[in-house]
Amino acid sequence: MTGMAGPGRRSALALGLAAVLSACTSTHGESADSGGVRTDPEPLERRFTALGPLSDAHWLGVVLGTDHDWRVPGPTDVRVVGFARLRAGAVAALQGASPRGFQPAQPRRLPHRLVPFMPEKARWVRSESFDRHMTGERYSGTFFLDPGADWVYFDTTNPSALSSSKT
C-alpha cells in the first residue's frame, strides 16, 4: 500500500488542514483590544479635510479580521467609525456646494461602544456622490450628515490622510 494514506493519517491531515484554514479565516469583527473611544479630532481632520474643523468627536479605530492571530501575516484593515460635530452651518454649505442628491438614511452597524455618543434626535441624510467625494474613491466609506445640528457620522475602512478634497 505504498503512496496511500490510511484512515488515521487522512484524519490527521484533514484536522491539520482545517486548523490552518480556520487560522486564515477573517472574522471581520471588532478586535478585542481595539482601544477605547477616542475623542481627539486631529486624526479625523487630516483624513476628512472637506468637513473642516471638527469638535465633540467620539470614534474608534477598529482592527478588522485579525482576531489577534499574529501567526497569519498580511495587511491590516482598520475601520474608522464615529461621530463629530462640524462648525455651525457646515452641513448646509456641504449640501449646497453641488447637487449631490442627499436622501434620508440611517447609519447601520454602529459599534456598541459608540451608542452612548449617538446624537439625540439626529435626522441623518446621505449621498453616494458625497461618499465618493469624501473618499476620492481610494477607500470605502459612508458619511451621514445631520443638517439640524451639524453632526457627521462616518464609517470608513482604511481612510488615508489628506485624501478628501476641500469644498
Side-chain angles (χ1 to χ4, degrees):
M1 295 208 148
T2 309
M4 293 187 70
R9 185 171 176 194
R10 272 188 247 149
S11 296
L13 287 172
L15 284 173
L17 180 60
V20 169
L21 290 175
S22 68
C24 294
T25 302
S26 173
T27 62
H28 295 291
E30 289 185 27
S31 171
D33 71 351
S34 298
V37 174
R38 295 182 60 172
T39 58
D40 50 330
E42 294 83 11
L44 304 175
E45 290 172 340
R46 284 194 309 271
R47 285 162 176 79
F48 312 137
T49 58
L51 298 177
L54 302 173
S55 63
D56 300 324
H58 291 89
W59 61 282
L60 299 169
V62 180
V63 176
L64 298 175
T66 59
D67 240 8
H68 306 295
D69 195 345
W70 54 268
R71 297 170 294 180
V72 182
T76 300
D77 289 329
V78 177
R79 179 183 182 201
V80 177
V81 57
F83 302 96
R85 188 182 294 270
L86 285 66
R87 72 183 182 285
V91 171
L94 289 168
Q95 286 182 298
S98 64
R100 296 208 185 269
F102 283 93
Q103 297 293 321
Q106 286 298 318
R108 299 175 193 237
R109 297 180 2 158
L110 179 66
H112 69 276
R113 289 182 285 167
L114 290 177
V115 169
F117 306 105
M118 168 75 99
E120 289 186 32
K121 301 178 184 175
R123 300 180 82 95
W124 300 109
V125 296
R126 179 177 171 241
S127 160
E128 289 183 17
S129 172
F130 185 70
D131 293 346
R132 286 191 301 275
H133 169 73
M134 289 296 297
T135 65
E137 298 188 42
R138 287 174 269 211
Y139 61 90
S140 64
T142 55
F143 296 82
F144 296 81
L145 303 174
D146 176 19
D150 289 302
W151 282 99
V152 62
Y153 171 76
F154 49 90
D155 191 346
T156 63
T157 303
N158 300 330
S160 53
L162 298 173
S163 64
S164 56
S165 59
K166 297 233 181 221
T167 304

Short mmCIF file of all heavy atoms in Angstrom, two decimals, residues 30-36 61-63 66-68 113:
data_model
loop_
_atom_site.label_atom_id
_atom_site.label_comp_id
_atom_site.label_asym_id
_atom_site.label_seq_id
_atom_site.Cartn_x
_atom_site.Cartn_y
_atom_site.Cartn_z
N GLU A 30 -14.92 43.15 15.48
CA GLU A 30 -14.12 44.12 16.20
C GLU A 30 -13.03 43.40 16.95
O GLU A 30 -13.25 42.37 17.55
CB GLU A 30 -15.00 44.88 17.19
CG GLU A 30 -15.95 45.83 16.55
CD GLU A 30 -16.69 46.64 17.58
OE1 GLU A 30 -16.16 46.86 18.68
OE2 GLU A 30 -17.79 47.07 17.27
N SER A 31 -11.86 43.96 16.91
CA SER A 31 -10.75 43.42 17.67
C SER A 31 -10.99 43.72 19.14
O SER A 31 -11.42 44.80 19.50
CB SER A 31 -9.45 44.08 17.19
OG SER A 31 -8.39 43.76 18.02
N ALA A 32 -10.69 42.76 20.00
CA ALA A 32 -10.96 42.94 21.42
C ALA A 32 -10.11 44.04 22.04
O ALA A 32 -10.52 44.69 22.98
CB ALA A 32 -10.73 41.62 22.16
N ASP A 33 -8.91 44.27 21.52
CA ASP A 33 -8.08 45.32 22.11
C ASP A 33 -8.02 46.55 21.20
O ASP A 33 -7.02 47.21 21.12
CB ASP A 33 -6.68 44.79 22.42
CG ASP A 33 -5.84 44.55 21.18
OD1 ASP A 33 -6.37 44.62 20.07
OD2 ASP A 33 -4.64 44.28 21.33
N SER A 34 -9.13 46.85 20.55
CA SER A 34 -9.18 47.99 19.65
C SER A 34 -8.99 49.31 20.37
O SER A 34 -8.85 50.34 19.74
CB SER A 34 -10.52 48.02 18.91
OG SER A 34 -10.67 46.88 18.14
N GLY A 35 -8.99 49.29 21.68
CA GLY A 35 -8.81 50.51 22.45
C GLY A 35 -10.14 51.15 22.77
O GLY A 35 -11.19 50.70 22.33
N GLY A 36 -10.07 52.19 23.55
CA GLY A 36 -11.28 52.88 23.97
C GLY A 36 -11.76 53.86 22.92
O GLY A 36 -11.15 54.04 21.87
N GLY A 61 -10.96 53.30 16.16
CA GLY A 61 -10.13 52.70 15.12
C GLY A 61 -10.11 51.21 15.41
O GLY A 61 -9.49 50.78 16.38
N VAL A 62 -10.84 50.43 14.64
CA VAL A 62 -11.03 49.01 14.91
C VAL A 62 -10.27 48.18 13.90
O VAL A 62 -10.50 48.30 12.69
CB VAL A 62 -12.54 48.65 14.86
CG1 VAL A 62 -12.76 47.18 15.15
CG2 VAL A 62 -13.35 49.51 15.82
N VAL A 63 -9.36 47.33 14.38
CA VAL A 63 -8.62 46.43 13.52
C VAL A 63 -9.57 45.32 13.08
O VAL A 63 -10.18 44.66 13.91
CB VAL A 63 -7.40 45.85 14.24
CG1 VAL A 63 -6.68 44.84 13.36
CG2 VAL A 63 -6.45 46.97 14.66
N THR A 66 -8.41 40.36 12.26
CA THR A 66 -7.17 39.77 12.74
C THR A 66 -7.41 38.75 13.82
O THR A 66 -6.67 37.79 13.92
CB THR A 66 -6.21 40.84 13.29
OG1 THR A 66 -6.86 41.51 14.36
CG2 THR A 66 -5.80 41.80 12.20
N ASP A 67 -8.40 38.96 14.64
CA ASP A 67 -8.70 38.06 15.75
C ASP A 67 -7.44 37.79 16.57
O ASP A 67 -7.29 36.74 17.16
CB ASP A 67 -9.29 36.75 15.23
CG ASP A 67 -10.67 36.50 15.77
OD1 ASP A 67 -11.22 37.39 16.41
OD2 ASP A 67 -11.17 35.40 15.52
N HIS A 68 -6.50 38.72 16.57
CA HIS A 68 -5.27 38.66 17.36
C HIS A 68 -4.41 37.45 17.02
O HIS A 68 -3.71 36.92 17.87
CB HIS A 68 -5.57 38.67 18.86
CG HIS A 68 -6.41 39.83 19.24
ND1 HIS A 68 -5.96 41.11 19.14
CD2 HIS A 68 -7.67 39.90 19.67
CE1 HIS A 68 -6.91 41.93 19.50
NE2 HIS A 68 -7.97 41.22 19.83
N ARG A 113 -19.90 50.38 21.49
CA ARG A 113 -19.19 51.37 22.31
C ARG A 113 -19.50 52.80 21.92
O ARG A 113 -19.22 53.73 22.67
CB ARG A 113 -17.69 51.12 22.25
CG ARG A 113 -17.30 49.85 23.01
CD ARG A 113 -15.82 49.64 22.99
NE ARG A 113 -15.45 49.15 21.67
CZ ARG A 113 -14.22 49.08 21.20
NH1 ARG A 113 -13.22 49.48 21.95
NH2 ARG A 113 -13.97 48.60 20.01
#
